[in-house]
Amino acid sequence: MEKVDAIIIGAGVVGLAIAAKLSRTLQNVLLIDKNQSFGEETSSRNSEVIHAGIYYPQNSLKAKLCVEGKALLYHYCQSRKIPHRRLGKLLVAHGEAEEQCLAKTIEQAALNGVNDLTWLTSAELKTSNPNLNASAALLSPSTGIIDVHSYMQSLLAELEENQGQFVAQTTFVEALPYDGGFDVTLNSQGEIMQISCDYLINSGGLHSTNLAGNIRGLAKAHIPKLNYCRGHYFSYQGKSPFKQLIYPVPEAHGLGIHASLDMGGQLKFGPDTQYIDTIDYKVSSKLKEKFVAAVQRYYPTIDAERLQPAYSGIRPKLEGPNDGFKDFVIQGADEHNITGLVNLFGIDSPGLTSSLAIAEHVQSTLKL
Ligand SMILES: Cc1cc2nc3c(=O)[nH]c(=O)nc-3n(C[C@H](O)[C@H](O)[C@H](O)COP(=O)(O)OP(=O)(O)OC[C@H]3O[C@@H](n4cnc5c(N)ncnc54)[C@H](O)[C@@H]3O)c2cc1C
């Protein structure tokens, strides 16, 4: 049987970051994905925002890995020439109750080590952002945008520079742990293959819990329920009225329908939140009314004609529609007792921002 040091299942941005990281330490790292290429699921269906890490509860993995990941990601982008821009974002309030949320956000951010937020009054906003309607805003200067595809390409190049390998159109079927490793069955375009490895990483995103069900010996108690929460985007044709990202005060399961720009300067609004039962990326044009109403609060002169359905992404969420905050789950042997196995569950936002820090966390979970 062929043998490698590590198999990483799932070539989204997180699996790629883990594979690139492990390939610096291990000889033979194999990254697989069931799709035609890398990053075809959640990693190419998001806002492409480098988050500051201001909202998440103190000491949560999301807070810690977002703040660490942001610093690592900006450094990585600079050193590997990945297109990105530190545009900054405005978190906008309308009225006293929302301004109180902004004040609490400053405190929460400080607990997470983010101390660079500044308060802008409505008079200051009128001068700097004449198209914006808000009674006050917080400026987060460390928020930015990134070309995720270039970032993923660079991680893949790093893996290959270190003699690691990426194989597409290859589906994980099952794994059988033995003392010190795993016998793994893969299906590569209809051909069944057996490979053994010392380390097995489940970074399967929306499929991570189904995958985990096919790791023999992993107790069902360690496999959480995953919920699908779709977010839709509408693009805004023509010149953007904003130079920064504009966010409303966060809502229950997302950050609210915000305005973000891509590296080409295209403005888009979204994502909203809609829990769904099956993976389906449709964007109904009927959502336009809801989008116009949400955006009008901070951009009253929006031209609905310029708003077009664009794309959607699905958050792999551990929290259901009636639950509160749930953190990333990154399980190693201390949790499930299977040496060499790491399962990643619920890697929704800020998974992109956190990706390099998640990779470091996985490496230390493996005690490498
Ligand atoms: C609407 C939306 C907006 C977001 N915005 C942001 C943002 O602005 N900033 C931010 O930091 N984060 C954001 N996120 C979160 C971020 O996109 C994700 O955390 C990140 O992309 C997760 O990457 P991943 O590698 O874990 O998952 P994925 O990209 O989903 O990759 C998982 C891979 O596993 C593969 N796979 C699954 N099963 C198998 C199998 N059996 N065999 C082989 N391969 C398999 C899949 O094909 C897939 O390619 C957003 C998410 C959504 C949905």
Side-chain angles (χ1 to χ4, degrees):
M1 190 186 297
E2 198 187 329
K3 162 104 187 4
V4 294
D5 288 336
I7 296 179
I8 293 104
I9 311 160
V13 71
V14 173
L16 279 158
I18 296 168
K21 178 79 187 166
L22 295 186
S23 71
R24 290 187 216 157
T25 310
L26 300 173
Q27 289 279 314
N28 305 303
V29 171
L30 174 64
L31 171 67
I32 60 158
D33 202 288
K34 61 182 172 49
N35 293 334
Q36 295 271 344
S37 186
F38 59 87
E40 291 190 351
E41 300 197 357
T42 311
S43 296
S44 52
R45 296 174 162 276
N46 55 53
S47 300
E48 299 193 290
V49 171
I50 301 176
H51 287 301
I54 55 191
Y55 309 109
Y56 314 106
Q58 188 185 15
N59 297 327
S60 63
L61 276 180
K62 284 186 180 176
K64 183 175 173 294
L65 298 178
C66 184
V67 172
E68 287 173 13
K70 172 183 65 173
L72 292 170
L73 190 52
Y74 276 125
H75 183 261
Y76 187 91
C77 286
Q78 264 151 14
S79 64
R80 298 203 51 123
K81 304 207 168 14
I82 313 295
H84 71 290
R85 284 175 70 199
R86 208 185 277 244
L87 288 179
K89 101 171 174 187
L90 292 173
L91 175 60
V92 298
H94 302 95
E96 216 173 295
E98 289 191 0
E99 285 179 29
Q100 277 171 17
C101 288
L102 297 194
K104 284 200 189 113
T105 302
I106 297 181
E107 287 168 21
Q108 185 59 52
L111 292 174
N112 294 347
V114 181
N115 294 302
D116 58 358
L117 303 184
T118 50
W119 187 278
L120 300 175
T121 62
S122 71
E124 286 169 316
L125 289 166
K126 272 204 179 73
T127 315
S128 62
N129 276 281
N131 292 305
L132 188 68
N133 173 47
S135 61
L138 287 183
L139 170 66
S140 164
S142 70
T143 304
I145 55 172
I146 177 171
D147 174 346
V148 180
H149 191 76
S150 300
Y151 171 46
M152 290 194 289
Q153 265 176 329
S154 174
L155 291 168
L156 178 58
E158 204 185 330
L159 170 70
E160 290 173 346
E161 280 156 23
N162 295 333
Q163 274 66 57
Q165 209 190 340
F166 167 55
V167 187
Q169 299 184 74
T170 298
T171 303
F172 167 81
V173 179
E174 66 166 356
L176 200 65
Y178 57 79
D179 195 14
F182 303 84
D183 283 336
V184 178
T185 306
L186 305 176
N187 181 339
S188 195
Q189 300 184 66
E191 191 188 328
I192 301 295
M193 301 157 53
Q194 308 279 341
I195 303 188
S196 76
C197 61
D198 298 338
Y199 303 102
L200 182 65
I201 319 298
N202 167 8
S203 183
L206 294 166
H207 314 272
S208 53
T209 49
N210 294 340
L211 274 177
N214 292 325
I215 300 170
R216 305 287 156 235
L218 179 67
K220 296 282 174 274
H222 296 302
I223 308 177
K225 177 176 163 24
L226 201 61
N227 302 281
Y228 301 145
C229 181
R230 187 167 60 199
H232 309 92
Y233 292 88
F234 276 66
S235 60
Y236 198 61
Q237 311 299 306
K239 196 168 180 290
S240 168
F242 305 116
K243 291 196 173 61
Q244 286 161 316
L245 311 179
I246 312 291
Y247 280 59
V249 166
E251 53 185 41
H253 300 292
L255 297 181
I257 295 180
H258 48 262
S260 58
L261 293 153
D262 67 17
M263 289 302 300
Q266 168 73 56
L267 180 68
K268 58 185 182 289
F269 293 104
D272 58 351
T273 53
Q274 181 188 19
Y275 276 87
I276 52 174
D277 295 327
T278 51
I279 295 176
D280 175 353
Y281 293 106
K282 81 162 175 272
V283 183
S284 165
S285 53
K286 290 190 189 131
L287 291 167
K288 188 164 172 172
E289 226 172 283
K290 176 175 102 174
F291 269 69
V292 171
V295 174
Q296 261 173 346
R297 288 193 77 215
Y298 57 85
Y299 178 33
T301 56
I302 180 176
D303 175 0
E305 292 295 307
R306 289 168 62 187
L307 207 56
Q308 300 297 331
Y311 66 97
S312 71
I314 302 175
R315 306 168 182 90
K317 275 202 178 288
L318 295 176
E319 71 254 34
N322 301 316
D323 299 331
F325 173 82
K326 293 259 172 90
D327 206 356
F328 293 151
V329 169
I330 304 177
Q331 282 173 354
D334 289 347
E335 284 83 29
H336 52 55
N337 231 358
I338 302 178
T339 305
L341 173 67
V342 178
N343 283 313
L344 294 101
F345 299 123
I347 312 296
D348 60 337
S349 193
L352 159 64
T353 310
S354 310
S355 48
L356 294 172
I358 292 176
E360 288 192 349
H361 186 84
V362 167
Q363 178 152 356
S364 71
T365 302
L366 290 171
K367 303 186 175 35
L368 283 170

